[in-house]
């Protein structure tokens, strides 16, 4: 459905240096895919979106939607944006201040080319859209009288009201509270499934990305470093950056031991800080690796911990609690292991709290530790 | 000699040092040459002039004096005089140099005198109208061939359409005159609310073959440069003396008098004559003698003195509005 | 609905106002200061206007005795109806012409990738720099009976009839329309320059084509500017003397002002009573219009395009329509600039007026230019005029900046200041001239007869225009940008200087340019106020004009236009660079 | 430090009806407090902030900062905003498009009243601020060339650059990615502690609120329904709304049994759906109550679950998995209990996944269930 080939659009700052944009983006999505662009602020998500929308002219590459090329540098094709039949939510909501909420949402139908909508049709369609975003009562409000979140929701309603084939969403929920955001996620997902819309979704909230997406692309400094399913991205990140960016993790640097010895697929890695750890390894990672251990995979025990830990099946580290922060359903602990400066981050249930300074033992199975490329 | 102003006047004037002249004359044909000549003769006196239409001039002086802040010393222009006289803002002064000027160009009791006179008559585009087709008399204007072909300046002064009406009424008498005017109105003359000169230019470019109420001296000026234009001695021609006067309560009365003296003098009029103005002093030769009523080819005139005008103008304007709008 | 929406906000306003009345902060001081300054500048002429309209002018030019005859004359005028209809048609259509022409151009130049944009600016500046009478007469010459068009037509068809008669309502409308399209261009170009591309792109994304986007977003967002322009051109046309006199009268097309004009001209000294009465009537009408116009700022948020989030000015890609845009720009260049200038050039090269025929070429000479350039009289004129123009424009725009800002932000008492500053819009030149004549004569200061008298008069006369530029400009700037400045600790004046003014620079530039160009050719006021020691170009022009030295006049006009263009461009470029983000 | 007394500012839509704003807000914060406004979109957070900043004139009430009243309707006091010496981040960032990033941030110092800053001082201060928000290299960029997140960070830098006594932050991190957001949180917190700034923080991210705040106010429809410490808010919400809004929870409605009988502080509550549950109760809640059970407190077992569950000490419910969504560190399950339509939401570690449709048992101790006021 959506296909990007070597799509490039960079903003040159001083000659040579890279100021921002997107480089050599390659993507091929089947219809109905929920595709998410994930990446740090300023990495090029919006730029990519704007290129697909036709708001920016790429420097090179091709954009193909449903078989028809929308942009092709060589062939000199560049379909004007209003012919692309795309729904879009702008990061700056771009609500028209001179129109009422209703008019804002109705606009795409009023100007639709494929067919004229009757007043009644528009009224119902807009009504639905507003209900979906939870602004039922606000139709007649002037757009200037809305709160930030409400404006954002109007933008969303405007993007979905005419059921486009392709939906581009630039952080559409960033200003909504958790529960509302969740509601809207579900609504969006439902809509997208029912109508078989292909959605390109920009978010900075990884849990959102993991929960909603069929495919995720992680962008770093304008390059797509990994494209894959949520579980791929989360459980087998290609490198340190992805591992660190998607979800919290503890990164240890080390060198794969010369002997590939170990139980099953396990490797043993000699840590820079000293000490050794047994872990899975992405195949093909060179001797110098970064090891990622998710906080939630580490089990905390008070003091020396149970004898069970003694046997060689698990990695065991002793340390001391240096910080704890309460997040409701979990508590984040920071733990300094003996003989290493590297602070560990561990999640545990709030039921049995550990005090600051108390000695603890960290346990995690080799499967929970993954060796990936550095950088 | 007449054109040498009395010594004490000169001294008094030089003491004042400057003189301010509100003029309605053309700056580089009349005003600047006159000023130059004057300052050459009286180096100690500096002449400042300000050019405006005679009605604006009047407006200024009236306001200045009512604010007790008179700036102007000398003014010229019929329009101005007609206002300033009843407003009692004119200082009578009989210049010695005015002695040679014929009586008809001087006010009854020394309120004004004219260094030059304007004649107004019809003019034709010689490319479009041959000498013999050209109208000779006012009656000829009623010929159907001139319907829609005539243009005139309708500035509400004796030098515009109202002047023409006045001339007719004065020469033909009330009812014959009115009868004539009715017929003329039927000829559908084009009204142009611009200066007579601009109207003449319309004739020169050929927008119209025939214009009424043009300054007779403008035609030879253009003709000299090759323009296809000539003026018609349609008698009686309108004569309008250009009044010069002294402002009452002038800040520099003596310098003012001296300037007037100079303008009226033979010397001054000679300068004016160079600029194609028509001198009133019989001893000064006009550049184109034919233009003078008393020249080699004399013609009858209707003299529009300020007195005549201020008495008749309102009536003429009324008639004009009734018949020609 | 709207009422219901409105009342609480009004009451909020009041509440806000009341709270702020408790203290004497900068804005209040500013309002009061402006009220005083403007009061001093505007009130006297206004009062004189009113008095004049109610008093008899005696034949000896003194003013005395009360009367209503002037008003009666207006309302009992037998062909009031006919002239009224003419006036409205004239005003309405010339407004449409100006808006369509200037507006389209402004949009093309500022918001699209059309080429030859420089031409558009050149056209505007030069055509505004060219003296009024010259411009009009050039057009009359072109379209006149013996003008090239009719000439060609006659030679082709052999008839003695004319193809087009400029002395007609159509002629009046076209000429007046073209005369004002530069004003439209300048104001709208500054408006469009500050448009927010995000809002337009959102419309495109929703499937709207360029035109639809322009119609439902760009134009809507520009409402304040457009409304202001409509207001202006309409009012100016309703009260215009020149075109009705020069073009209308010969064609016997009478409008309301024809009668007023006569009333001024027919009596010496001019009887200003009727003219004043007329402008008083206008004043009332304008006040009403302005009242509604003022409502625009009630929910200013509707027009704020310069926001603090994702504000990126970008341009439309016309795509295959680009050549059409280019064509329009060039057409404008030819019609509004090249043709009239050619006519002037033709006249200036000939010893006397001749129709545009090859035969004329034989007589070409530079005599006229030589006279002008050699005469030091003209030089003084030029210098005086430049000084007056720069002063008037600068002072005017500063006052306009403050007033426009206060009024657009609905500060307490600002409406009043706004009204005050807008009044001069309806003063006929001559009435204003006389008023200032009387004022300067009566004040102890030695202003009368100096160029400062002119500078002051022009400042007042053109303040309303400057004000509309700034007012519409401020409405475009989202209030939050000011709030942010305040929250950062900036006093209102500081945020005005550091945030509003820079963002407003496009409007400020255009406004300055407009006043500068139009003031330097103003006649009615000039003739009355320029004393012996302060002659200005306009007066010199008038002299040449009545003297019918067409050639010299044209030469002078061309040289003058060149000078103005030079000055304007220098200023514009300099300002443009200073203008920061606001200007491109 | 910051004191609000009956602060009210409402936007009446049609007369009578409440369109939005804030009503009767009462707060008294000691200096250095990190205070968070939490609430659904459109509840009045920004309005409150704008009143404190002096951008809106309240309808009534008083605002007192550090002992000096900034606004007092009766006394007719209303200090203009530029004299209030606050730092503020606007929800719409309010970046000045005509200034460079540097100038934007330098502005507060350039216009500062209390003292003139030298160019050098400004340079260093701005440099620091930009580093804090991670925009070191961007000083000379034009503000219009920034990405959404970058603009937001510029706004933040501008607010903190002149070290104000009072800091008002309206969703300052909403457009930043998880890791960056975390960084900035810590930076903010550090700054606020070090300088003893009092901060009023608006966020829609409850974990952010819980992690950072000393005091949290939960706002519903313009009213502050609960003001308290993060733990208060999370563990003993005053009512159903708070319980539901702060963190996920399962709400059951029921009636406290006539007999106060039960082990320790426990009550037994008869559910509307039928069945009975034993739980803690906020003292003073009427017979009709809502019971909140946090998803993370529920233990899931396959099938009938261990015998342990049989004894009466724990609440036990059997049900079936109807949905599961993967969030990285946890999996969210939706479970329909037998004999009740009420869907339960449960969090479990991804280690041992349950399939859709499989039968499970839910266990939770009485302490994990809290009876609160309804609505
Ligand atoms: N100028 C106004 N006129 C009328 N109603 C308004 C105005 N401004 C805000 N409101 C309404 O007041 C309510 C509160 O607005 P506010 O901006 O405080 O919400 P908020 O808590 O900041 O929400 P969000 O988290 O979405 O920003 C909203 O329902 C909004 O619609
Ligand atoms: N018009 C421009 N000129 C120069 N650089 C730009 C321009 N627009 C964006 N950039 C730069 O390009 C980079 C990518 O911008 P983009 O808006 O795509 O980031 P983003 O991924 O959307 O970030 P965020 O999540 O903060 O919105 C940013 O570093 C930004 O500074
Ligand atoms: Mg972005
Ligand atoms: Mg808000």
């Amino acid at each position: 459905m959506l296909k990007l080939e070597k799509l490039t659009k960079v903003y040159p700052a001083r000659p040579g240096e890279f100021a921002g944009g997107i480089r050599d983006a390659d993507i091929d999505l089947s219809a109905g895919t929920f595709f998410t662009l994930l990446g740090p602020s300023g990495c090029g998500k919006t730029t990519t979106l704007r290129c697909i929308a036709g708001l920016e002219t790429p420097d090179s590459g091709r954009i193909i939607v449903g078989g028809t090329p929308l942009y092709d540098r060589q062939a000199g094709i560049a379909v004007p944006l209003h012919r692309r039949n795309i729904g879009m939510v702008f990061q700056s909501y771009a609500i028209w201040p001179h129109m009422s909420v209703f008019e804002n949402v109705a606009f795409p139908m009023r100007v639709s080319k494929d067919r004229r909508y009757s007043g009644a049709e528009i009224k119902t369609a807009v009504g639905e859209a507003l209900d979906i975003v939870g602004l039922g009562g606000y139709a007649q409000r002037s757009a200037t009288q809305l709160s930030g979140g409400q404006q954002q929701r109007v933008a969303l309603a405007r993007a979905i009201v005419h059921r486009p084939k392709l939906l581009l969403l630039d952080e559409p929920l960033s200003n909504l509270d958790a529960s509302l955001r969740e509601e809207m996620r579900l609504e969006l997902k439902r809509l997208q499934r029912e109508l078989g819309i292909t959605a390109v979704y920009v978010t900075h909230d990884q849990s959102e990305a993991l929960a909603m997406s069929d495919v995720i692309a992680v962008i770093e400094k304008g390059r797509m470093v990994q494209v894959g399913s949520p579980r791929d991205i989360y459980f087998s990140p290609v490198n340190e950056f992805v591992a660190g960016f998607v979800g919290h993790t503890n990164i240890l640097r080390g060198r794969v031991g010369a002997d590939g010895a170990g139980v099953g697929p396990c490797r043993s890695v000699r840590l820079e800080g000293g000490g050794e750890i047994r872990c899975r390894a992405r195949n093909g990672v060179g001797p110098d690796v970064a090891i990622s251990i998710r906080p939630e995979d580490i089990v905390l025990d008070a003091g020396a911990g149970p004898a069970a830990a003694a046997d060689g099946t698990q990695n065991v580290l002793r340390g001391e609690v240096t910080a704890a922060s309460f997040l409701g359903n979990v508590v984040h602990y920071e733990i300094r292991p003996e003989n290493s400066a590297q602070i560990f981050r561990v999640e545990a249930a709030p039921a049995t709290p550990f005090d600051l300074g108390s000695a603890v033992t960290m346990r995690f199975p080799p499967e929970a530790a993954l060796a990936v490329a550095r950088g | 000699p007449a054109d040498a102003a009395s010594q004490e006047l000169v001294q008094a004037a030089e003491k004042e040092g400057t003189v301010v002249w509100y003029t309605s004359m053309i700056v580089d044909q009349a005003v600047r040459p006159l000023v130059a000549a004057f300052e050459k003769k009286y180096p100690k006196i500096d002449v400042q002039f300000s050019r405006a239409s005679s009605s604006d001039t009047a407006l200024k002086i009236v306001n200045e004096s009512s604010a007790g802040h008179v700036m102007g010393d000398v003014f010229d222009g019929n329009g101005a005089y007609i206002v300033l006289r009843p407003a009692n803002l004119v200082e009578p002064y009989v210049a010695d140099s005015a002695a040679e000027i014929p009586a008809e160009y001087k006010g009854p009791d020394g309120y004004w005198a004219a260094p030059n006179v304007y004649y107004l008559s019809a003019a034709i585009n010689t490319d479009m109208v041959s000498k013999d087709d050209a109208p000779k008399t006012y009656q000829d204007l009623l010929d159907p061939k001139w319907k829609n072909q005539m243009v005139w300046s309708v500035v509400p002064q004796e030098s515009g359409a109202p002047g023409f009406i006045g001339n007719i009424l004065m020469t033909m008498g009330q009812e014959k005159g009115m009868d004539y005017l009715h017929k003329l109105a039927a000829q559908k003359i084009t009204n142009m609310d611009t200066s007579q000169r601009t109207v003449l230019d319309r004739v020169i470019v050929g927008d119209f073959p025939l214009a009424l109420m043009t300054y007779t001296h403008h035609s030879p000026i253009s003709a000299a440069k090759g323009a296809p234009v000539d003026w018609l001695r349609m008698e009686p021609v309108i004569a309008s003396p250009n009044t010069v006067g002294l402002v009452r309560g002038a800040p520099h009365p003596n310098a003012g008098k001296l300037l007037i003296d100079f303008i009226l003098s033979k010397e001054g009029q000679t300068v004016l004559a160079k600029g194609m103005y028509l001198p009133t002093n019989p001893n000064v030769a006009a550049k184109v003698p034919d233009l003078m009523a008393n020249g080699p080819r004399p013609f009858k005139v209707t003299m529009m003195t300020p007195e005549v005008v201020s008495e008749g103008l309102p009536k003429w304007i009324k008639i004009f509005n009734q018949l020609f709008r | 609905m709207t009422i219901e929406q409105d009342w609480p906000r009004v009451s909020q306003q009041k509440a806000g106002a009341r709270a702020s009345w408790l203290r004497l902060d900068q804005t209040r001081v500013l309002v009061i200061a402006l009220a005083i300054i403007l009061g001093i500048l505007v009130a006297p002429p206004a009062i004189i206007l009113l008095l004049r309209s109610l008093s008899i002018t005696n034949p000896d030019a003194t003013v005395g005795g009360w009367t209503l005859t002037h008003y009666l004359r207006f309302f009992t005028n037998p062909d009031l109806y006919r002239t009224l209809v003419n006036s409205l048609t004239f005003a309405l259509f010339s407004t449409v012409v100006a808006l369509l022409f200037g507006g389209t151009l402004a949009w093309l130049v500022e918001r699209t990738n059309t080429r030859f944009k420089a031409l558009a600016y050149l056209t505007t500046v030069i055509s505004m720099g060219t003296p009024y009478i010259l411009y009009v007469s050039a057009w009359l010459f072109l379209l006149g009976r013996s003008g090239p068009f009719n000439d060609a037509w006659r030679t082709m068809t052999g008839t003695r009839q004319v193809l087009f008669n400029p002395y007609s309502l159509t002629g009046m409308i076209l000429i007046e329309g073209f005369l004002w399209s530069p004003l439209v261009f300048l104001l709208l170009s500054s408006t469009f320059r500050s448009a927010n591309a995000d809002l337009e792109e959102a419309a495109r994304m929703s499937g709207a084509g360029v035109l639809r986007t322009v119609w439902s977003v760009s134009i809507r967002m520009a409402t304040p500017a457009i409304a202001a322009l409509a207001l202006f051109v309409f009012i100016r046309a309703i009260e215009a003397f020149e075109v009705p006199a020069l073009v209308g009268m010969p064609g016997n097309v009478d409008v309301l002002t024809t009668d007023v004009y006569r009333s001024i001209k027919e009596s010496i000294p001019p009887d200003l009573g009727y003219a004043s009465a007329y402008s008083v009537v206008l004043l009332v009408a304008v006040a009403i219009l302005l009242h509604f116009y003022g409502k625009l700022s009630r929910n200013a948020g509707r027009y704020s395009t310069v926001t603090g989030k994702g504000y990126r000015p970008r341009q439309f890609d016309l795509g295959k329509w680009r050549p059409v845009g280019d064509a329009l720009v060039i057409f404008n260049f030819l019609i509004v600039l090249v043709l009239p200038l050619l006519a002037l050039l033709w006249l200036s090269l000939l010893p006397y007026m001749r129709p545009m025929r090859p035969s004329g070429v034989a007589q070409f000479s530079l005599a006229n230019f030589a006279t002008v350039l050699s005469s030091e009289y003209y030089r003084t004129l030029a210098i005086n005029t430049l000084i007056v123009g720069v002063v008037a424009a600068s002072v005017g725009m500063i006052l306009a900046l403050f007033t426009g800002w206060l009024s657009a932000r609905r500060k307490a008492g600002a409406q009043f200041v706004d009204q005050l500053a807008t009044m001069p819009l309806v003063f006929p030149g001559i009435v204003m001239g006389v008023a200032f004549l009387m004022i300067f004569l009566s004040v102890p200061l030695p202003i009368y007869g100096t160029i400062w008298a002119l500078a002051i008069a022009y400042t007042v006369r053109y303040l309303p225009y400057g004000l509309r530029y700034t007012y519409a400009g401020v409405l475009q700037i989202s209030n939050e940008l000011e709030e942010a400045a305040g929250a950062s600790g900036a006093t209102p004046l500081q945020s005005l200087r550091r945030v509003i003014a820079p963002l407003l620079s496009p409007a400020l530039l255009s406004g300055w340019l407009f006043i500068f160009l139009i003031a330097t050719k103003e006649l009615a006021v000039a003739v009355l106020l320029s004393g012996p020691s302060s002659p200005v170009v306009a007066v010199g022009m008038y002299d040449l004009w009545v003297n019918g030295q067409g050639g010299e006049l044209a030469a002078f006009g061309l040289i003058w236009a060149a000078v103005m263009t030079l000055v304007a461009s220098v200023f514009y470029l300099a300002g443009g660079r200073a203008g920061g983000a606001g200007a491109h």
Side-chain angles (χ1 to χ4, degrees), chain A residues 11 50 53 55-56 80-82 86 88 90-99 107-108 110-111 113 140-142 144-145 158 162 175, chain C residues 1 5 9 198-210 212-213 216-217 220-221 299 301-304 309-312 314 320:
Chain A
Y11 300 105
R50 292 179 57 83
L55 294 169
E56 301 280 358
L81 56 168
H82 64 283
I86 292 175
M88 177 163 182
F90 286 65
Q91 193 166 9
S92 71
Y93 324 129
I95 299 297
W96 298 301
H98 60 293
M99 300 185 187
F107 190 81
R110 297 208 187 283
V111 300
K113 308 242 166 336
Q140 291 320 319
R141 276 283 184 91
S142 142
T144 54
Q145 304 180 345
R158 183 176 62 186
H162 65 312
N175 283 63
Chain C
M1 168 63 209
Q5 277 277 336
R9 306 185 120 271
D198 266 16
L199 296 178
E200 288 164 340
E201 287 174 348
R204 304 291 310 280
M205 288 312 301
S206 311
V210 173
R212 179 63 192 252
T213 304
S216 339
V217 178
R220 288 310 191 313
M221 301 295 297
N299 31 29
R302 292 167 154 275
Y303 310 109
S304 57
K309 189 173 193 175
Y311 169 73
R312 292 183 194 170
R314 271 185 303 271
K320 65 176 188 295

Side-chain angles (χ1 to χ4, degrees), chain A residues 46 91 170-171:
Chain A
T46 299
Q91 193 166 9
D170 198 346
E171 312 202 4

